[in-house]
Structures are given as C-alpha cells and as structure tokens.
Amino acid sequence: MYSNILSISNFVYIASAFVLILSFIVRKKSLDVAGKSLFVLAFFVEFLYFTLRFIETYQKGYDYLPVTNAFESFVFFTLCLGFLQTLMIKKTSGFIVLFSSIVISTTLLALSIAGFSQHIEPLIPALKSNWLVAHVITSFLAYAAFAINFVASSFVLYSSQKRIDKIVGSIMFGGILSLMFTAVIVSITHSSPLVVGIVFLVLISTMLFVLSFILKPYTSKEWIEKPLVFGFVLLTIGIITGSIWAKYAWGGYWSWDPKETWSFITWIVYLINLHFARKKKSARFLAYLGVIGFLSVLITYLGVNFVLPGLHSYGSN
C-alpha cells in the first residue's frame, strides 16, 4: 500500500545529498538551494507516510501514535530530524544539511534490511498512556536536536586546521557514510556487516581526511549551541514525562532500569555541554563535547534498546 511512500522519501533524501555534494564541487548557490529544497520535499513525503500509518492505526481500532516498536521508533527519529532541519533549513550550512540527509537515509536503508516487524498491533496495557506519547515525542525530538549538534560539531572538527581534529571529523563522517554503504552492500551480497563496515570505514575516512584540506575552517558555534539548548530542554521534559508514565505503568517514578540510568547519564553529559557553552568556550572545545554527547545518545537508544535487558528493550520484538 503506502509503504512505498517511505522508499520514495528515502530516494529524495539521497537525491538531496547528491545535489548538495555537487554544490560543494562546483560551488553554485543554486545547487545548494536545490539540495535543501529536495530535503524539505523528502521530509514532507515522509510526513505523509507517517500520517497514513497513523490513520491506518486508528482504522484498526488501536488508539495510539505509531511510535511504539523498533521500526516505528526509527522512522519517527528520522521524521523528527527532518522536521528540525527543515525548520532551520535557510540558515543552516549545506554541509550540515547534507549529513543530516545522510543520517536519515542511512537509518531508512538499514531499516529496509533489519527485518523489524512493520505490522500494526495492539499495545500492551503499560503502553496505553498519553504520558507515553509525550515522553516519546519529546525524547525523539531531543535525539534529533542532538544529532544536528553532532553533525555541526563533526563539521567544526573536520574543517579545522589541526590534523587530529581532521582525523576525528573524518572518522565521524566516515562512520555515517560507511553505515549507508554497508547497508546497501549487505542487502545485496549478504556479506558480514562487520567486515564490510570496517572496510568502508577505513576507505571512506581516509578519503574524507584527504579532502578535508580543501575546506575553509568552520568555526561558528550557532549550530552547536542552538540544537544543544533545544535538545537539553526536551530531554529534560522527556525524562520527567517518562517518570510520570512509569509511575502509572509500573508503580514507581524511577527504578534505575538501564534506559533510565543511561538517560540520566546523557542528561548529565549535555548539562556539562550546556555549562561550557554558557562559559563561551571555543567551537573546537564544544565540538568535542558534542561528539561525546552523541555517543552517549547512541548508547542510550541503540545500546539499551537492543542489547541491555530492561523495560525499554526491543529485543523481544
């Protein structure tokens, strides 16, 4: 049915990335505008998919927002990232939009081969709560804001004149690109994801490191600080609403479940980031904190949900 709409959205995100890459090569403003316009179009196509899934959920008699299983949560994360990037599209560097597009397309490509269930099913009683909806929306918007903070931070390091910064930035961006290419190759050849991923990471990071010397240093702190503040506020609200939901669902506000523990750690990490941002630290210093912060987000979401056992685990799905 409408599942093809998600594939179309991903295709447009990839097209946006290619146009933005071309704009850097030929240095034409018109291509930059075209690439950003394609990104916005891709977001609205994905929003259409999410809306249709939401309608189907209600038509089946299930009164909930489709953000409760692994497949839906990844789609919702990419939707949140697309939404925030669209809001800031005019003032954001094309390079940041480029890698936001790549993060989204990589996630959607990985979803296509991960084998997660896409069926719409009734919720267990513990998940039937409006507090859950508030918790999920604020948490994923926070993750999306931190993803933009991460991309901007990596760009500051990648374009730096210091060799160690270029290496770190190249590895960060190389990691994102290698995930995308690995997802494509593994889906075609059924090779080992680990081996293919490492090969792509080394090759792409090396190539990016060489190309980084043609860039002028990007030292703006605007797109490090704005998503940081926005994400921290939303993460705080997400933790509070999650605690209230836990009280109704399991009888206690806090149980030191792995997800709760790592959410608290992530909150502390970004509180430190926010503190140093208010202390007017350099863009380079904040960039390293941004990278560390997003690694904490990845552990909080991916590590806890798919590796560590707990109330938030998707392992049983």
Side-chain angles (χ1 to χ4, degrees), residues 40-150:
V40 174
L41 174 62
F43 162 71
F44 280 109
V45 174
E46 186 178 12
F47 182 74
L48 173 62
Y49 166 82
F50 184 80
T51 301
L52 291 173
R53 187 174 178 91
F54 178 71
I55 292 171
E56 184 186 4
T57 302
Y58 267 76
Q59 287 176 340
K60 289 188 174 184
Y62 304 143
D63 186 15
Y64 69 88
L65 192 69
V67 293
T68 56
N69 60 35
F71 172 80
E72 291 172 347
S73 72
F74 277 114
V75 171
F76 190 64
F77 165 72
T78 61
L79 189 68
C80 288
L81 180 52
F83 171 68
L84 292 184
Q85 191 65 84
T86 296
L87 287 180
M88 304 180 291
I89 199 80
K90 285 186 177 181
K91 297 182 179 180
T92 311
S93 164
F95 202 88
I96 295 174
V97 178
L98 164 63
F99 273 91
S100 292
S101 182
I102 291 174
V103 168
I104 292 173
S105 59
T106 297
T107 303
L108 295 178
L109 279 171
L111 268 184
S112 67
I113 64 170
F116 293 132
S117 173
Q118 299 185 29
H119 297 300
I120 297 174
E121 299 175 348
L123 293 179
I124 61 174
L127 298 181
K128 295 179 180 179
S129 170
N130 289 330
W131 287 110
L132 171 63
V133 175
H135 169 62
V136 170
I137 290 175
T138 52
S139 296
F140 275 97
L141 282 171
Y143 291 167
F146 293 145
I148 295 174
N149 170 269
F150 166 75

Side-chain angles (χ1 to χ4, degrees), residues 10-44:
N10 195 20
F11 176 80
V12 181
Y13 276 123
I14 294 172
S16 168
F18 276 109
V19 172
L20 287 169
I21 290 172
L22 187 60
S23 75
F24 289 116
I25 296 174
V26 301
R27 301 186 182 278
K28 280 194 173 184
K29 181 67 176 178
S30 59
L31 287 175
D32 181 79
V33 173
K36 290 180 177 180
S37 299
L38 284 172
F39 183 96
V40 174
L41 174 62
F43 162 71
F44 280 109

